[in-house]
Structure formats: C-alpha cells, structure tokens
Amino acid sequence: MLYHHLRIHQIFGANTNVGKTVITTALCRAAANKSAVKATGKATDIATPTVFYLKPVSTGPRDEADDIHARRFGGPMKDAIATRCLYQFDEPISPHLAAALRAHKAPTDIELIKKISGYIEGVAKTVPSHTNASLFMETAGGVHSPAPSGTTQAEAYRPLRLPTILIGDSNLGGISSTISAYESLILRGYDVESLLIFKEDYYRNWEYLTKWFADRNRGTVGTKVHVSILERPPARHSDPTHDHQMMEGYYATVCDSTTGSNPLEASLEHLESRHEARIRNLESMPRRTMEHIWWPFVQHGMVKDDKDVTVMDSAHNDFFSVFSTPLKDTTTNTRHEHSSLIKPSFDGSASWWTQCVGHANSSVTLAAAYAAGRYGHVIFPTATQEPALTLAETLLKDGPGRGWAERVFFSDNGSTGMEVALKMALRASNLRHGAGRAGSVPKNEVGVIGLKGSYHGDTIGTMDACEGGVYNTVVDWYRGRGFWFDVPTVSFQNGYIRISGPDTLLTTSKPRKTGPVGWPEEFSSLAEVYDVERRLHSPLAKAYSQNIRETLERLILEQRLAFGALVIEPLVMGAGGMLFVDPLFHRVLIDVVRSSEDLFSHGTKLQKSAPRGEWKGLPVIFDEVFAGLYRLGTLTSSTILKTHPDISVHAKTLTGGLLPLSVTLASKSIFEAFKSNEKVDALLHGHSYTAHPVGCSVANEALNMMERMRSSGEWDVARGRWGLPPVAKGDGTTPEIWSFWTPSFARELSDLPIVEEVMTLGTVLTFRLQDLSGGQ
C-alpha cells in the first residue's frame, strides 16, 4: 500500500519492553506538530486528523492499552491524532495465547491483513489529497512475537510489506537482539528505513549500533537505515498523577521542538524523503527499463509507452505488488488520488510456471541464506557437498527417478538440462546402433522423434530437437533434426470430455488390424481417460500403434533417416499452447519405439545389446521441466503413463520458484555410455556454477515442502471433489487424476458459447476462446 498523500510506517520492536509504544507515541506527536506547522505556519491545533496511530493487536487491560496511551499523550495537537486498535485481548500475554482464551475463533492472518488494509484504505479516502498525512502501525512485542493465529508477526504482516521502523534494544544483550531483528526483517523483504533507540550510557548499545548501521549502509541490501537516538523516558512512578506529569514533560521535551536538531524531527524528515524517493523511483522505472533492458520473448517495437511496463515493487504468495499511477476519472478528467499506487496482481502463470510454494516464501529464503552462509559457491567436479548429494539421493530414492534412474547431472535451467539429455541419449544410441547407420547417415545428421508443438528450450540443440516454429525458425543456425508426430488432445468441449486429433493419426497404408475408430472419442471422466493400462487394449491404441510403426518404417527404411532419441513433454505441452496430449498416445508411442529395435539398428547386429531391463529401440527422454514435481498433481508423469523414461529433466518448481537450477536424471545404461578410461569419452558439459549449494539447498527445502503438502492432507479437499480418497488411504499405484478446479466447473466453463475447450489437471487450468469475428 502506497499513497502520495499518506505515509505509512510499520513499527517493529527488536524485543519486548524496548519502548516501542513510547517511541511510536513520540513519533505521532512530533508528526502532528510538524503537520500543524506546515499547514498554519505555527504549532497550533488543526481541525482534522493528519496523524493516525494503528495498533492491530493489543493485549492487557483496556485502560492501559497502547492506543489509549498514544491518545493520552498527544500533546497540544492531540486532536490531529486519530488512534485505533483492531483487536483487543484482556489478558496481558502473547496474542496467540490471549486469543486462545477467547470463546470465539482468533482472526486468521488473512482476516487480520484485510482488516488492516481496510482501515488504511479508509484513512486514505478521508485525508485530503493535498495533505501530507502519516500513519504509524505499532506491532506487539518483538519481530517474531506471534500474531493471534500463532504465525510470527514478521510473517503475518509480510503481505503488506510496509516501510519499517525498528525500535532498537538499549538493554543488556540489545545489540544482538537488534541486529537479529533487523536481519530477520531483511530476509523477508522489509525495507527498514529507520532505527530509533534510547540512549543508555552504561551499555551504550546506541553507540555500537550507530557504527554498525553506518557500515551496513555502504552496501546495497535494503534501504539506508537512519539512526536516531532518544533520551530515555523517566522511570514509572507509583503515583498515577505524578507519573502522567513526568511523561508529559518527557514528550514535550523530545517531541515539541521543531528546531531541526530534534532527533525525532530528523527521523521524520528522513522518512518523508524516503517516501518521496520511493515514489519517484517507481515512477521512473518504466522509462529507465525501456532504455536499458533487453527482455526475453518480447518484441520491443511493440512496447510503446510507460504503461506497457509492469513495475513490480515486490511479490508474496500468489500475488505481485504492482505499481501504477492512479486512473483518471473520465467524467472529471481528474485522477483518483486517494487510491493506492501499489495494488495486488494475481500471478496467473506462476511466473512462467516456476512458483509452487509462493513468492518470497521464508522457508526457501532461509534455505538459500543458510547455504550461502555455509558455502557460497564451491567447485563441483570430483568434489561433493551436502546440499547437492542430498538432492541427488532424494530425486533417485524418493523422487521422480525412483525405480529407474541411477545418476543425477546438474545444470542451470530447463533448456540446458535438455541439452544434456540430448547429448546423453545420442551417445548411448550411437554406441548401440551406430554400425547400422555407418556409411549412410553421418553421426551429426541423426535426428530425434518428437511431437508437433513441442518446446524444449532456446539453446541451439534444443531448438533443433523441435519442429520449426515461432521460437526457432528465425534463428540463423536452426536446422530441425527429426520427425514430429501430430498429436491427439484431451479436453472438455461443450460439457463433454473428448479426445480428438488430426485424421493423419488414424491413417494406415495397410489394412487396419482393428475395428473402425474416429474423432472425437468421448469419456465419462478424466480418470477414464488417464487409465492408460486399461485403454492399451482399445481399438484406438491399436490404431495409434499401427500408424506410428508404419510412419517409422517409411522414415527409416524408405527415406533412410536415422534417429537417436524419442523426446516428449509427457501429458502436456506447455509453451506449445497448453496442449494436453492423449496419454494413451504417449504410452503407445513409447512402446512402439522401444519395440522397434529392428528399425533403428537397420538390420545389423547391434554393437552393444541391451541389458535386461534396459532400454531398447531408442532412449526415451521425458522433458518434465513444466509438468513434473506436482504441477499436474502427481510427482511424475510416469505414475500415469505406467512406464518410465531413460532420461528425464526437471527444473522450474524444483527450487520452489526462487533460483535457477535443473537436473537431468539418467538410467545406468545411459551413464555407462560415457564411462571409460579416456577423458574424451566423458560427458564434457557443465557450467561454473554447476550444483551450486544455494540452489541445491533451496531445492531440498522446496521438495520437502511439496511432500509435506501432499502427505498432510492439504490437497485432500480438492482431491475429494474428483472422487479420490485422502492421500494417507491411497495405494500409491493408482493414477491420481485431480485438479484444484472441480469437474463441474470445467464442464460448465466449457459449455459457455464463447469457450472452445477447457482442460485442467493439478494446478493447471487452460481454456481457449472462440474468435467471434470468425474462425477460432
């Protein structure tokens, strides 16, 4: 939340009992004085509030509440200060305990944030747009003191990400608690703009912290922290009247001076300048970006104006915080100055499908910080480190490689992970089938078998593994190497579940071995569609098999083409248009390729026969960069297709959307193809940051979080709507077909006149709209 006319600051304490309420009250009083002087030229009372004190959660007797204290000591300008407490609990204990003693349910974090946001929005609407108003929101206890829900405040208030004031600890041990509090806030993306601390001449924490923050201010992490040192308030007196008089005298001394030497005055000036600088920076970012940045996948000639640039101030959970200037009222030609400059925007593509645990998740952030602090980066060849080894073992024993993969190769993104996979497959294939191709097809002319509409990345090799299209044909070095089958797709159409595709998939040159088949095929449920084992005996499966075998015979025996791998995006082709491929077609294609060793060896004796249980025909590569790791509701597509690859690639959600990292998993025979006593036979591929500990540590935590979500029952409600039992009761072998969107929603959406088709699985929902001007 950000407004031109309203400065908002959240106040955290480094600990409890550090004077947070006293300092917040002092800030309110000094700000009211400053506002009055600006408005009238002197410190006289003004009619309407320009300073707002907000206490989201308070515990203890009402007459001792912090908002009452702030109102009581507002000074000469107290009518300019409005105070509010949102949740008051009578017991003077931690909010989570006090809330538990109440008969009704404690507010959730979402409810708390909505109530705070609603109050701030209300204030912004009532304050005149020409006013420079201030709002100070005081938290309870320390940075990690619990909110009523039990979530720590640093976590609970993070969706707001308000500019922060930290109240330092002047007591024994306060240096450590202050620095720890600061770093906890920085790790969660807060901008700590100011530190205020009482002067205490025995421990002299203020002296050390002033130097420490001055040193930190030379870096680039977060904003520069302004340090203000305040005189300590008098000790509490047993006589209430005398105590009130002493505190009033204290506030008058520290707040009511406007000479400029007052530390509170200097702090307020800093906060105001930071507020203005932040808005200026956000306003200038589109123009500066268009002058200096070369975006991926963007035609810059189509970016015409600042409004075409999305300025992201931050992100949290499933939302971006996007900066935008207020919209104009078309009737009055004036801007809505009372609306926030920062608004939430739903991340509908999960930031290119990388997100799975939410933006700025503190668990993966801490995993990154831990590994960075422990290792930084360390060289990897012939070395090992715990994060990389743990990740490899997890992927092989409990992850997508379970039961078939033996080795993990690390790279930095999905495209390079696929480059590695292609090198692996082509080497293994050449060792087994190379003699059959000698003299007719050079090694560098070997292609791949794939699917039309596939996309495996933007590096040269992965582009060549795809049919020519918008992503690759304009690249000067592109030379598509392979053959790509048409694909049948599954979707909801007009309320029905249908599989349809081009007639070429059902065309055969020989008499069909099965009864008639045709498009579309209808099914009563997605579970029926994805019951691949049962469908393997259907006429459609036999039609697929006959067509694929005849096509391969024509390509290899008649056209003398050579192939080194089958490369597919199992279940769904993401960048190709979110095409959900009939899983039966994928399975039949894999089976035919594996059973056609006679074709790929060209009738010659194999150089190296396939060991029992290993691949035959061609190595099969699963590009699961997009679809793997629960994106489609299941760990890997192998559980649905009931067959495993020889090589698979995983990225994107692997690190929970925080860092780039990719892994290529390989079976034993693929690894053995590179093993010898000659260096030249090794897989000579890698990059300087291969298996970087930070990425591996984050991946370990992300996979752990995904598994906890799966096994804890967090998805059971959604699964139940698709007729699935709770996870704990599942047998682990039946394909689990479900989505976060209900079957009825998908059917009803597909039945809308404007909608051509709908498909959903796991976290993915895709729909195509009719072009009402003609065509589709």
Side-chain angles (χ1 to χ4, degrees), residues 153-213:
Q153 291 182 115
E155 296 283 351
Y157 294 132
R158 174 56 183 81
L160 297 170
R161 208 186 82 89
L162 299 175
T164 297
I165 299 169
L166 178 62
I167 308 303
D169 189 347
S170 60
N171 302 306
L172 178 63
I175 292 173
S176 176
S177 63
T178 301
I179 294 174
S180 295
Y182 169 78
E183 291 185 342
S184 290
L185 293 169
I186 290 295
L187 278 170
R188 287 163 178 80
Y190 288 95
D191 287 326
V192 180
E193 297 184 344
S194 181
L195 174 78
L196 289 97
I197 187 171
F198 290 134
K199 185 176 183 180
E200 198 282 331
D201 288 328
Y202 185 75
Y203 300 120
R204 304 181 70 83
N205 294 353
W206 57 272
E207 189 174 66
Y208 181 91
L209 290 169
T210 299
K211 295 177 180 178
W212 190 87
F213 277 102

Side-chain angles (χ1 to χ4, degrees), residues 396-577:
L396 296 176
K397 296 177 182 178
D398 301 309
R402 181 173 55 194
W404 67 270
E406 186 175 277
R407 300 283 173 158
V408 176
F409 191 95
F410 292 95
S411 55
D412 56 336
N413 62 70
S415 185
T416 53
M418 282 299 297
E419 289 276 348
V420 171
L422 289 168
K423 288 183 178 181
M424 289 178 177
L426 294 173
R427 167 72 66 84
S429 176
N430 187 60
L431 284 178
R432 192 169 294 177
H433 301 307
R437 297 194 297 257
S440 58
V441 181
K443 185 170 66 173
N444 61 358
E445 294 295 332
V446 174
V448 300
I449 298 169
L451 303 179
K452 290 184 177 180
S454 59
Y455 170 85
H456 303 295
D458 303 303
T459 48
I460 293 295
T462 59
M463 285 194 298
D464 279 1
C466 298
E467 184 187 33
V470 66
Y471 293 107
N472 51 21
T473 52
V474 296
V475 177
D476 296 328
W477 273 13
Y478 171 71
R479 182 161 60 95
R481 307 174 194 229
F483 176 82
W484 299 272
F485 282 92
D486 287 313
V487 294
T489 58
V490 55
S491 64
F492 291 82
Q493 301 172 19
N494 302 118
Y496 297 93
I497 300 173
R498 291 171 175 160
I499 290 176
S500 56
D503 291 336
T504 54
L505 290 174
L506 305 179
T507 302
T508 60
S509 59
K510 302 174 184 177
R512 194 185 303 280
K513 301 175 183 178
T514 64
V517 292
W519 309 120
E521 285 211 354
E522 291 190 358
F523 296 81
S524 61
S525 69
L526 284 187
E528 187 180 354
V529 172
Y530 287 92
D531 189 351
V532 175
E533 293 281 74
R534 183 191 61 81
R535 292 182 62 207
L536 277 174
H537 305 288
S538 67
L540 184 58
K542 294 175 182 178
Y544 283 161
S545 179
Q546 187 173 346
N547 175 270
I548 292 169
R549 173 70 190 197
E550 288 185 7
T551 300
L552 292 177
E553 288 175 350
R554 184 179 72 255
L555 294 169
I556 296 170
L557 301 180
E558 297 178 15
Q559 299 181 24
R560 306 302 294 172
L561 298 179
F563 300 101
L566 170 62
V567 187
I568 63 171
E569 296 169 86
L571 302 184
V572 61
M573 297 192 293

Side-chain angles (χ1 to χ4, degrees), residues 87-89 98-107:
Y87 294 96
Q88 171 70 39
F89 301 97
L101 294 176
R102 275 198 174 183
H104 55 273
K105 186 180 178 182

Side-chain angles (χ1 to χ4, degrees), residues 47-87:
T48 58
T50 56
V51 177
F52 300 84
Y53 170 94
L54 176 62
K55 183 79 173 182
V57 180
S58 180
T59 62
R62 181 63 190 142
D63 60 349
E64 297 179 7
D66 295 340
D67 60 308
I68 291 179
H69 180 96
R71 174 70 177 168
R72 181 182 298 141
F73 292 103
M77 305 301 133
K78 66 180 181 181
D79 289 340
I81 303 173
T83 63
R84 178 74 180 275
C85 177
L86 300 180
Y87 294 96

Side-chain angles (χ1 to χ4, degrees), residues 433 436-437 440 556 560-562 597-604:
H433 301 307
R437 297 194 297 257
S440 58
I556 296 170
R560 306 302 294 172
L561 298 179
E597 193 146 22
D598 59 313
L599 291 177
F600 303 114
S601 63
H602 290 260
T604 63

Side-chain angles (χ1 to χ4, degrees), residues 222-367:
T223 59
K224 309 300 181 186
V225 181
H226 180 273
V227 179
S228 290
I229 300 138
L230 304 180
E231 294 296 328
R232 292 178 70 87
R236 191 159 191 175
H237 199 277
S238 58
D239 177 49
T241 302
H242 189 55
D243 182 70
H244 184 279
Q245 291 172 346
M246 289 193 304
M247 282 305 299
E248 177 58 36
Y250 170 77
Y251 283 122
T253 300
V254 301
C255 302
D256 298 345
S257 170
T258 57
T259 61
S261 60
N262 188 324
L264 280 176
E265 176 77 10
S267 183
L268 290 172
E269 291 286 353
H270 172 74
L271 295 176
E272 186 173 333
S273 67
R274 279 293 313 136
H275 175 76
E276 294 171 353
R278 181 187 180 194
I279 294 176
R280 285 197 306 271
N281 181 57
L282 290 168
E283 288 176 336
S284 69
M285 284 176 66
R287 179 55 50 191
R288 290 156 50 205
T289 299
M290 288 192 292
E291 291 174 353
H292 302 297
I293 297 295
W294 192 337
W295 285 300
F297 297 106
V298 169
Q299 173 48 263
H300 282 245
M302 299 173 67
V303 182
K304 303 296 185 181
D305 202 285
D306 289 8
K307 63 180 174 54
D308 297 327
V309 181
T310 302
V311 179
M312 297 183 186
D313 180 69
S314 64
H316 185 265
N317 204 354
D318 295 327
F319 292 86
F320 305 127
S321 292
V322 175
F323 174 84
S324 60
T325 54
L327 297 175
K328 278 189 176 181
D329 187 325
T330 55
T331 59
T332 63
N333 201 33
T334 59
R335 293 191 181 276
H336 297 285
E337 299 292 349
H338 291 86
S339 60
S340 176
L341 301 174
I342 291 179
K343 294 180 175 65
S345 178
F346 181 66
D347 182 5
S349 72
S351 284
W352 274 347
W353 314 303
T354 60
Q355 297 298 317
C356 62
V357 297
H359 290 284
N361 184 285
S362 61
S363 293
V364 292
T365 301
L366 289 171

